[in-house]
Amino acid sequence: MGSNTVRLRASACVLATVLLAVLLVPLAVPLDEQAVDLAAKLHPPSWAHPFGTDEVGRDLLLRCVYGLRLSLLVGVVAALTATVLGTAAGVLAGVLGGWTDRALMRLVDLFSSVPHLLLGIFVVAMFRPGIWPVIASVVVTHWLSTARIVRAELLSLRTRPYVDAAVSGGASRLRVTVRHLLPGVLPQAALAAVLMIPHAIWHESALSFLGLGLPTHEASLGNMVNGARGSLLAGDWWPTLFPGLFIVVPTLAVAALAGAWRERLDPRRRSELTL
Amino acid sequence: MLELHGITAGYDPRKPVVRDVSLTVHDGEAVGLLGPSGCGKSTLARVAALLHRPTAGTVVIDGEPARGWRHRAPRDQRTAFGVVFQQPRQSADPRLRLRDLIAEPLRATGRRAEATERVRALAPGVGLSEELLARRPHEVSDGQLQRACLARALVLRPRWLICDEMTAMLDASTTAALVGVVETYRRESGAGLLAVSHDPVLLERWCDRTVRWGDRGAALNDAAPAETATSPGSTAP
């Protein structure tokens, strides 16, 4: 068993656990993550509250699970939307070339030249706080890299002799794109989508930490880290540590999974994929 | 008749790899194009098959000038050519089974209905079994894949075959088999052939006439006897 396989299995296990917790806990444990218990505020971790309680006595384990649920929802929806948008832009630029290519790529440059967070803040500032402006903010800042990757991959695929053979065989431009080029870039686009999920989670956390993301009462990981700043200075570490770990561990697992996947995409090993 | 008139072509307009080349392939004729590696033979072959737009010059097909290049060429002009390239691995979409690879031109031109039957009829001739047809490119050898690529080039019954170093990667017996397939097709269909190679022995045995690339790698003219080498016993038209 190679180290790649170990990495793949370990990260898959972590992700499966996290997903199960996020999906099942709200169903199996009908507790209110917003329930305030001022008599139990800032309790350190104990049997009753394994992650402790926050400054208004809310259970941190429950809030972490709900926070990750929200972050994953934002992350997955935003990553998928940004990937579809980026792939469409990359394919249009790569296939049509010329004027379309130049216009689209200058647009990508324009968006890239503004710092991501600034652009993201600009987008959320235009709407009432909520989940959709945050998703829109992630999409606007994250479709760029996918567009570049897809275009570059397409430019290299476009010069392959099998495209020449298809053209000579009477295939239209649309048919060459859909049948021969798009299937070639989809693995790269899918990989980019998976790698984008952690980015989207960080983006949401950063916006919420700045007070610009989700409404402050929502159990979001960024909101929780933001709310815990005061208690951290007073020496209460648990309201910061656990939401922080909930950001770091799943994103590391996703990154490790994507890394292992990328190694599998290596053309020399492609034949193993079909076995 | 396929005529190339004063073709200048390349990938950088300032540095053309083909300069002012003229060449004619008569109906049913087999013309060999001989030259060292990197001299521009393949570029000329791609221009002839309407796959690369030259910076100057025209391709005339049966008296009618080419009306476009690549996708912009009308479908009947494009599909008049069957092309086979040097590297089968690069010429085959890695995702398609060999039977779909061969049938792809039929599907692309709206003749889906006859695809299965045509592939079944064509496969034994190029030496591909039913079992091989079900495999994907990475599951067959270079020789087997090149047989499939040749079958794909023949499936639309082209008027001209353009074989660009078709056998350079193959062993002697596979080379002989593929040349045999091309010759069988030409005998029954009367198709012309432009075979590009750096192997003078192969071209001499295969073609009616061999055109040698000029020493300077630039000027080659079919009409100028000094630049043209004819194989013994052949009749230059």
Side-chain angles (χ1 to χ4, degrees):
Chain A
M1 201 159 69
S3 65
N4 192 23
T5 317
V6 174
R7 198 147 54 104
L8 201 67
R9 288 190 184 175
S11 49
C13 282
V14 171
L15 275 183
T17 313
V18 165
L19 280 179
L20 278 179
V22 158
L23 291 175
L24 294 183
V25 165
L27 295 176
V29 192
L31 294 174
D32 184 2
E33 86 282 10
Q34 306 286 18
V36 172
D37 182 2
L38 288 174
K41 66 174 187 172
L42 287 173
H43 278 192
S46 65
W47 282 114
H49 302 288
F51 285 6
T53 61
D54 68 5
E55 71 280 2
V56 287
R58 295 176 293 200
D59 182 64
L60 275 170
L61 175 57
L62 203 56
R63 282 182 74 74
C64 278
V65 170
Y66 274 89
L68 186 61
R69 188 181 158 93
L70 197 63
S71 291
L72 278 178
L73 181 69
V74 170
V76 170
V77 172
L80 287 181
T81 316
T83 301
V84 170
L85 192 68
T87 306
V91 166
L92 276 179
V95 169
L96 296 179
W99 186 87
T100 320
D101 183 25
R102 280 195 291 276
L104 274 169
M105 284 303 114
R106 290 303 80 75
L107 190 69
V108 167
D109 289 344
L110 181 71
F111 274 92
S112 309
S113 63
V114 185
H116 271 186
L117 199 56
L118 200 63
L119 188 57
I121 290 170
F122 179 75
V123 173
V124 287
M126 293 196 294
F127 303 96
R128 287 161 62 97
I131 187 168
W132 294 110
V134 173
I135 289 176
S137 152
V138 177
V139 170
V140 164
T141 50
H142 285 68
W143 64 280
L144 309 160
S145 56
T146 309
R148 280 218 184 92
I149 292 168
V150 166
R151 174 179 172 272
E153 187 73 14
L154 214 64
L155 289 185
S156 110
L157 286 181
R158 214 172 58 161
T159 60
R160 300 276 165 93
Y162 69 74
V163 173
D164 275 355
V167 173
S168 181
S172 63
R173 181 129 74 174
L174 182 67
R175 188 176 175 90
V176 170
T177 306
V178 171
R179 184 132 170 105
H180 301 293
L181 297 177
L182 208 51
V185 298
L186 281 185
Q188 294 288 336
L191 181 63
V194 171
L195 278 171
M196 207 188 288
I197 293 172
H199 276 272
I201 292 176
W202 297 331
H203 195 92
E204 182 275 316
S205 303
L207 286 176
S208 297
F209 180 78
L210 293 172
L212 293 161
L214 300 165
T216 43
H217 68 274
E218 289 274 8
S220 116
L221 296 171
N223 274 341
M224 290 165 71
V225 173
N226 185 24
R229 270 186 307 163
S231 30
L232 183 64
L233 292 177
D236 301 328
W237 46 270
W238 55 93
T240 309
L241 178 71
F242 290 112
L245 281 179
F246 264 62
I247 296 175
V248 171
V249 172
T251 60
L252 275 183
V254 171
L257 197 67
W261 183 5
R262 178 156 36 201
E263 271 176 40
R264 292 245 166 153
L265 271 186
D266 185 345
R268 275 167 299 169
R269 305 181 63 177
R270 181 165 282 175
S271 58
E272 290 175 20
L273 265 181
T274 56
L275 291 178
Chain B
M1 192 163 78
L2 171 66
E3 298 160 87
L4 278 68
H5 291 302
I7 301 290
T8 297
Y11 303 90
D12 177 349
R14 286 162 298 176
K15 280 184 247 159
V17 282
V18 177
R19 249 174 260 156
D20 194 24
V21 170
S22 298
L23 188 71
T24 303
V25 184
H26 293 270
D27 288 345
E29 190 189 22
V31 175
L33 189 55
L34 181 69
S37 299
C39 71
K41 311 185 293 290
S42 296
T43 307
L44 189 67
R46 292 183 72 226
V47 171
L50 309 183
L51 289 170
H52 185 82
R53 181 212 282 274
T55 45
T58 51
V59 174
V60 180
I61 303 157
D62 291 332
E64 192 192 356
R67 279 180 280 150
W69 307 94
R70 296 188 71 82
H71 298 103
R72 292 197 180 83
R75 190 176 267 170
D76 58 321
Q77 281 195 339
R78 260 191 277 161
T79 54
F81 299 94
V83 287
V84 188
F85 299 103
Q86 177 173 3
Q87 293 173 322
R89 300 271 154 225
Q90 304 274 314
S91 325
D93 187 328
R95 280 162 295 274
L96 299 185
R97 295 182 190 281
L98 297 199
R99 69 166 82 255
D100 296 319
L101 187 85
I102 299 170
E104 182 61 23
L106 289 169
R107 299 207 172 107
T109 50
R111 292 158 67 188
R112 190 176 296 267
E114 50 188 293
T116 315
E117 201 181 315
R118 282 284 288 145
V119 172
R120 193 169 295 152
L122 208 55
V126 294
L128 290 174
S129 64
E130 275 293 313
E131 192 256 325
L132 281 170
L133 287 177
R135 295 206 200 163
R136 289 179 208 278
H138 67 264
E139 297 164 330
V140 301
S141 72
D142 277 2
Q144 289 162 339
L145 195 53
Q146 193 66 308
R147 287 167 191 265
C149 289
L150 178 56
R152 172 181 59 186
L154 297 178
V155 78
L156 292 179
R157 306 196 64 81
R159 300 229 12 236
W160 289 280
L161 270 168
I162 313 274
C163 298
D164 181 6
E165 300 273 17
M166 176 175 79
T167 57
M169 312 269 287
L170 308 177
D171 61 53
S173 68
T174 314
T175 299
L178 289 190
V179 169
V181 171
V182 169
E183 287 312 300
T184 307
Y185 171 72
R186 284 185 353 95
R187 260 199 309 280
E188 67 177 58
S189 68
L193 168 72
L194 181 63
V196 174
S197 178
H198 59 261
D199 179 357
V201 179
L202 174 76
L203 290 183
E204 192 172 305
R205 283 158 61 181
W206 188 2
C207 299
D208 303 324
R209 180 163 66 94
T210 299
V211 178
R212 209 174 286 271
W213 204 266
D215 289 333
R216 297 179 304 282
L220 168 147
N221 202 322
D222 201 18
E227 303 264 27
T228 308
T230 45
S231 62
S234 76
T235 48

